[in-house]
Amino acid sequence: MVSYKNSKDRNNTPARKAAERTFAFFLLVLLSHAIYDFAKEFTLNASFYIMIAGLVFFFVNDFWLDKVTEKEEL
């Protein structure tokens, strides 16, 4: 297993690619369920809020990890 700190090029690790594809899959599933439920009942359900929380969590962590690795490289 490749550790995050020892990885020179973290964007090309297989684990990173798998995580991004899994995230995209869950995003599409939750989005399709939220759209279906909104069209059916005209309310935002838990799938929508889970999707938004996952997006925020993903981008905050991505930003934070980029900052951490920049500091370690200096």
Side-chain angles (χ1 to χ4, degrees):
M1 184 171 146
V2 176
S3 71
Y4 186 78
K5 290 183 180 180
N6 294 334
S7 177
K8 297 271 185 197
D9 190 15
R10 72 174 179 88
N11 290 328
N12 289 331
T13 61
R16 170 81 180 203
K17 289 179 184 178
E20 288 175 350
R21 290 176 183 166
T22 303
F23 177 77
F25 170 75
F26 282 121
L27 180 68
L28 291 173
V29 168
L30 288 171
L31 179 63
S32 63
H33 185 263
I35 290 172
Y36 170 76
D37 201 43
F38 183 76
K40 185 178 173 186
E41 299 177 10
F42 297 109
T43 59
L44 296 176
N45 61 0
S47 294
F48 177 77
Y49 297 114
I50 292 169
M51 179 185 63
I52 296 300
L55 282 171
V56 169
F57 184 77
F58 175 79
F59 287 116
V60 166
N61 278 313
D62 193 40
F63 175 77
W64 179 71
L65 289 172
D66 284 341
K67 293 296 179 186
V68 168
T69 54
E70 283 177 7
K71 288 181 181 180
E72 288 178 356
E73 291 175 356
L74 296 177

